[in-house]
């Protein structure tokens, strides 16, 4: 007989250290020769990311030991940090050459791991950043025949976050630019604030890239640029061929026949288009009412991959996503078999092979390969291994709720679940509403041990894809236009209240938590509603008036679409900010902040705490040295999870002895 235990008191084998050890996911897959490569997190090694290869014989091994950290800081969120190719002649012939960005100094390095004459390790290709400035690189492509790496250069020209320019650039592979910035050839003129890395056409004559400018974010409006490749100079005859101020293109590339391919939301959904030589753009599979793209938060994200036979590997779906093969002649999409419900925006292809990163409600993110000839899929890297009995994993429910004005709200509900305990018949469980970051993003339907950490202890989780989330078309995404702090707050509250009304959750034991933009929603919810008993705020936005000047360049004008132009609606910036509503916050909260965060700087949290001082509201503040926007170190993730559970235990009246008590100050 299964013992009875009150919700929140259940013992669980999923502790915070286990969840922290599995935090992060593989990213940025590529094919180098016959091998599959990707980056992978190392939470126990200071949160660095290493480069991993899967050899043709199936052996999986890291390429770069500590302290190498394969990660870019371009637009602070980074993007594709590496590229590889196989040398066909000269020293190291037949072996891989990889180029990568090293996080601490942001230089590009070249490395030939199989070349015994290649020296002792990676060698720099780009110069040290000058004093008072900074050079960063992202989205590289190795062109061995040209002796260059094409990429994006982000160059800081002054001390402010807005003192920056970005261009497409060509870096010599011979190392001549390592001590000479002038050896870097700029391929574009810097007329646009933001660019992606250029992609070379099959005939080697043209390049394509994306560009956009303030105040738009890349999901508001971007343009597809093309240019003629020149010998030794920038691109010539540069022109915009698609996109615009009200059309968001998230990726562009070339088909093997020289046709231009791109994904645009001109029809209300991110859909693939083709521009054949001499023809107008044409949608490849119109009318499907699903997304074939997403928000371009990182430079080099890929939702499609042209294949040698003319078909296109695509990531698509509504809410959940699948990997499919699109026939551009018929518009037919054939999906790969498998359990995965979320495919990350990274794809690579070689011949009939397609490689991506996918996850499901029963498995974390892993590297998956599809053979398009046979339709067979298999896990080839970073394979998910159950750290505990999967009987302790939550069983998510895909739900649609009704919010204000009868609008639909999408959510994933994770009820408490533990095979070793059942709850008393007369008790309802506590629930925590999770507000995702972005806010132009979404909560994926995947196994997350941080969620299992709570559900296996008897605390339910509700992940809300509030209005403004991606995955449901442009009109759903734009519900948040000038309504941040309103629609997101209302939608989260509507889900919480619906769960209590239907008898799923205890109305007296509800909490809300979120990080970054989700931290804003959590704080704004504590101020604007009486739904929640407490909240967890993780590196949040709290002070709108100052945030635009304090944050990085990429998001410095984001608020103009989320709140409104500051010159036209200055009152909104004051009225909606949690900092301006501290007198309305009367519930306990936990505030977690990375001290190296340049996106939501610690100054935001400090001003909020100063305004809350003396009001008598119980709260705790934990700051983490060496952590930025998104906690990466195992010790940090462990402490953050345990502190969050301790908050809920204290506020909800749950007796737990397996986490350190949380001191709440007033």
């Amino acid at each position: 007989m299964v013992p009875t235990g009150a919700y929140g008191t259940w013992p669980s084998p999923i502790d915070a250290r286990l969840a922290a050890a599995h935090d992060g996911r593989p990213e940025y897959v590529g094919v180098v020769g016959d091998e599959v490569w990707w980056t992978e997190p190392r939470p126990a090694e200071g949160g660095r990311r290493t480069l991993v290869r899967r050899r043709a014989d199936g052996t999986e091994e890291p390429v770069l030991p500590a302290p190498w950290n394969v990660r870019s800081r371009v637009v602070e969120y980074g993007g594709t940090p590496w590229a590889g190719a196989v040398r066909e002649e000269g020293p190291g012939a037949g072996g891989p050459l990889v180029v990568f960005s090293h996080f601490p100094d942001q230089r590009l390095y070249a490395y030939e791991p199989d070349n015994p004459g290649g020296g002792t390790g990676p060698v720099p290709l780009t110069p040290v950043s000058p004093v008072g400035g900074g050079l960063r690189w992202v989205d590289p492509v190795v062109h061995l025949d040209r002796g260059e790496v094409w990429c994006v250069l982000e160059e800081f020209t002054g001390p402010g976050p807005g003192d920056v320019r970005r261009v497409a650039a060509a870096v010599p592979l011979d190392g001549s630019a390592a001590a000479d910035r002038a050896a870097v050839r700029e391929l574009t003129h810097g007329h646009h604030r933001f660019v992606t890395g250029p992609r070379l056409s099959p005939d080697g004559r043209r390049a394509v890239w994306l560009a956009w400018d303030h105040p738009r974010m890349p999901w508001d409006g971007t343009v597809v640029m093309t240019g003629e490749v020149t010998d030794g100079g920038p691109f010539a005859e540069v022109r915009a061929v698609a996109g615009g101020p009200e059309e968001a293109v998230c990726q562009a590339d070339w088909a093997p026949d020289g046709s231009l391919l791109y994904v645009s939301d001109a029809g209300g959904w991110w859909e693939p288009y083709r521009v054949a030589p001499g023809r107008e753009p044409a949608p490849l599979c119109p009318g499907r009412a699903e997304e074939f793209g997403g928000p371009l938060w990182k430079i080099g994200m890929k939702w499609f991959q042209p294949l040698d036979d003319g078909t296109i590997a695509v990531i698509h779906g509504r809410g959940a996503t699948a990997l499919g093969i699109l026939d551009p002649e018929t518009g037919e999409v054939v999906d790969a078999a498998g359990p995965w419900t979320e495919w990350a925006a990274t794809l690579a292809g070689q011949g009939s092979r397609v490689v991506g990163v996918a996850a499901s409600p029963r498995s974390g993110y892993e590297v998956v390969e599809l053979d398009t000839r046979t339709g067979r899929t298999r896990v080839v890297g970073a394979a998910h291994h159950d750290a505990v009995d999967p009987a302790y994993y939550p069983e998510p429910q895909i739900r649609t709720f009704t919010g204000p004005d009868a609008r639909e709200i999408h959510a994933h509900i994770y009820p408490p679940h533990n095979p070793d305990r059942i709850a008393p018949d007369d008790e309802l469980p506590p629930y925590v509403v999770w507000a995702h970051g972005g806010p132009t993003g979404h909560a994926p339907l995947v196994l997350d041990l941080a969620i299992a950490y709570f559900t296996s202890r008897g605390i339910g989780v509700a992940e809300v894809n509030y209005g403004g989330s991606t995955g449901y078309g442009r009109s759903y995404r734009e519900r948040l236009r000038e309504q941040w702090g309103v629609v997101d707050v209302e939608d989260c509250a509507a889900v919480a209240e619906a769960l209590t009304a239907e008898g799923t959750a205890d109305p007296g034991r509800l909490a809300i938590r979120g990080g970054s933009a989700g931290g804003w929603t959590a704080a704004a919810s504590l101020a604007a509603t009486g739904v929640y008993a407490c909240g967890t705020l993780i590196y949040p936005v709290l002070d709108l008036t100052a945030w635009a000047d304090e944050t990085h360049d990429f998001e410095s004008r984001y608020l103009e679409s989320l709140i409104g132009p500051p010159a036209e609606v200055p009152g909104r910036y004051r009225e909606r900010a949690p900092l301006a509503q501290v007198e309305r916050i009367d519930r306990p909260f936990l505030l977690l902040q990375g001290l190296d965060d340049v996106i939501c700087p610690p100054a935001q949290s400090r001003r909020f705490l100063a305004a809350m001082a003396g009001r008598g509201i119980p709260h705790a503040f934990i700051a983490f040295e060496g952590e930025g926007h998104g906690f990466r170190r195992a010790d940090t993730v462990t402490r953050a999870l345990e502190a969050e559970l301790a908050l809920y235990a204290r506020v909800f009246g749950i007796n737990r002895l397996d986490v350190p008590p949380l001191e709440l100050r007033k």
Side-chain angles (χ1 to χ4, degrees):
M1 179 177 294
V2 178
T4 299
Y7 285 115
T9 67
W10 301 345
S12 171
I14 304 174
D15 61 20
R17 289 198 173 277
L18 180 66
H22 290 79
D23 192 49
R25 68 188 190 195
E27 289 185 299
Y28 307 118
V29 294
V31 177
V32 183
D34 293 329
E35 300 180 355
V36 178
W37 293 47
W38 64 91
T39 68
E40 197 170 279
R42 293 288 187 266
E45 298 177 18
R48 77 180 185 99
R49 295 193 70 89
T50 190
L51 194 57
V52 179
R53 68 194 293 188
R54 182 186 189 273
R55 294 182 180 271
D57 63 4
T59 304
E60 184 178 316
E61 62 185 38
V63 177
L64 294 163
W68 294 106
N69 190 351
V70 185
R71 183 177 156 213
S72 172
R73 282 191 64 183
V74 169
V75 301
E76 294 302 342
Y77 291 112
T80 305
W82 77 277
V86 174
R87 284 199 183 274
E88 298 180 356
E89 57 186 27
L97 165 70
V98 293
V99 173
F100 66 93
S101 172
H102 180 44
F103 185 74
D105 63 11
Q106 287 298 290
R107 300 175 81 182
L108 280 184
Y109 288 80
Y111 183 42
E112 297 182 71
D114 296 349
N115 180 8
T120 58
V123 296
L125 296 180
T126 56
V128 175
S129 293
V131 176
L135 303 173
R136 300 174 181 176
W137 317 82
V138 75
D139 201 13
V141 176
V142 176
H143 295 289
L144 290 175
D145 56 335
R146 298 174 179 273
E148 295 176 325
V149 181
W150 286 11
C151 58
V152 173
L153 161 62
E154 180 179 74
E155 184 172 21
F156 286 86
T157 58
D163 300 326
V164 62
R165 59 190 295 269
R166 299 175 186 90
V167 295
V171 177
L173 281 169
D174 63 9
S176 58
D180 183 9
R181 165 67 176 82
V184 175
R185 181 164 61 101
E186 296 191 4
L187 300 173
T188 59
H189 292 287
H191 297 316
H192 293 283
R193 188 74 167 194
F194 303 96
V195 295
T196 62
R199 299 294 183 260
L200 186 64
S201 63
D203 62 9
R205 298 172 54 189
R206 294 175 295 164
V208 64
W209 65 98
L210 303 181
W212 69 98
D213 290 291
H214 284 320
R216 295 176 184 85
M217 299 300 290
W219 42 86
D220 296 326
T222 58
V223 289
V224 181
M225 307 295 296
T226 62
E228 301 293 325
V229 177
T230 64
D231 291 330
F235 297 139
E237 298 185 33
V238 174
R239 62 191 183 100
V241 297
E246 304 300 326
E247 178 183 352
V249 178
C250 59
Q251 185 187 344
D253 209 337
W254 303 97
D257 66 358
S259 298
L260 177 62
L261 304 173
Y262 64 91
V263 172
S264 165
D265 71 348
W269 298 82
W270 269 305
E271 299 171 313
Y273 287 74
R274 177 173 61 180
V275 184
R279 297 188 179 183
E280 293 297 312
L284 294 180
C285 45
R288 293 179 62 100
E290 61 176 352
E291 305 279 38
F292 286 76
L296 189 63
W297 279 101
K298 300 180 180 182
I299 307 300
M301 296 174 78
K302 296 180 68 173
W303 291 268
F304 72 83
Q305 172 65 47
L307 302 178
D308 293 344
D309 64 359
T311 59
I312 308 167
V314 294
I315 295 170
H316 70 107
R318 182 186 177 113
T321 56
L323 173 65
I325 301 300
L326 166 64
D327 184 337
E329 303 306 322
T330 65
E332 181 183 12
V333 180
V334 178
D335 286 344
W340 304 285
T341 52
E342 180 74 11
W343 289 78
T346 178
L347 289 173
Q350 181 198 58
S352 63
R353 303 165 67 196
V354 179
V355 183
V357 173
S360 79
R362 308 295 290 177
S363 60
Y365 286 94
E366 48 197 358
V367 181
V368 180
E369 180 183 271
L370 165 67
D371 186 331
T372 61
R373 293 174 302 182
T374 65
R376 178 174 176 249
T377 54
R378 60 173 181 157
V379 176
V380 297
H384 170 80
H385 298 289
D386 291 315
V388 297
D389 186 339
Y392 293 93
Y393 296 162
E395 298 286 349
Q397 304 168 358
I398 303 174
R399 300 280 303 272
T400 301
F401 296 87
T402 301
D405 303 322
R407 61 178 183 249
E408 284 189 343
I409 307 167
H410 301 284
H412 305 146
I413 307 303
Y414 297 84
H417 175 73
N418 186 313
D420 299 332
R421 290 292 188 277
I422 58 174
D425 292 337
D426 60 351
E427 184 185 6
L428 291 175
Y431 261 80
V432 183
V433 172
W434 283 29
H436 64 72
T440 308
H442 79 291
L445 185 66
V446 300
L447 175 64
D448 184 342
L449 289 187
I451 291 177
Y453 176 75
F454 292 104
T455 57
S456 63
R457 285 166 169 75
I459 299 174
V461 171
E463 283 191 308
V464 181
N465 281 315
Y466 48 80
S469 300
T470 58
Y472 307 97
R474 182 154 186 157
S475 61
Y476 192 87
R477 194 169 81 237
E478 292 197 337
R479 287 185 188 176
L480 208 58
R481 183 167 291 276
E482 299 194 10
Q483 294 297 309
W484 196 36
V486 179
V487 167
D488 50 326
V489 170
E490 291 177 346
D491 285 2
C492 287
V495 170
E497 291 173 328
L499 292 176
T500 63
E502 68 186 26
T504 297
D506 183 343
R509 295 192 294 174
L510 295 173
I512 187 166
R513 70 98 83 170
S516 190
W520 152 276
T521 301
S525 296
L526 293 180
T529 79
V531 173
Y532 310 102
C534 61
T536 300
L537 322 178
I538 308 171
Y539 38 84
V541 178
L542 297 165
D543 178 6
L544 293 179
T545 303
W547 186 75
D549 295 325
E550 291 176 338
T551 193
H552 60 147
D553 180 60
F554 178 64
E555 293 182 86
S556 62
R557 305 284 295 275
Y558 195 5
L559 296 181
E560 295 188 29
S561 61
L562 293 175
I563 304 295
E568 298 177 17
V569 289
R572 286 185 198 165
Y573 283 72
R574 294 188 297 270
E575 294 160 6
R576 292 191 195 169
L579 180 65
Q581 302 183 66
V582 291
E583 73 283 351
R584 301 178 62 184
I585 297 177
D586 59 2
R587 307 298 167 94
F589 64 87
L590 167 65
L591 178 55
L592 304 172
Q593 178 70 55
L595 294 180
D596 290 349
D597 196 334
V598 297
I599 296 172
C600 294
Q604 291 265 317
S605 292
R606 294 192 187 101
R607 286 195 296 273
F608 182 74
L609 292 170
M612 290 294 303
R615 295 201 56 249
I617 307 303
H619 65 275
F621 174 60
I622 304 176
F624 298 99
E625 293 186 3
E627 290 283 11
H629 199 70
F631 300 151
R632 296 175 179 272
R633 298 175 176 176
D635 289 346
T636 300
V637 176
T638 298
R639 189 180 180 199
L641 277 175
E642 290 181 342
E644 186 177 354
L645 177 60
L647 172 71
Y648 305 148
R650 182 159 178 176
V651 174
F652 295 158
I654 299 170
N655 183 27
R656 295 207 69 97
L657 302 177
D658 57 346
V659 293
L662 183 67
E663 180 184 356
L664 297 179
R665 300 180 179 181
K666 295 184 179 180

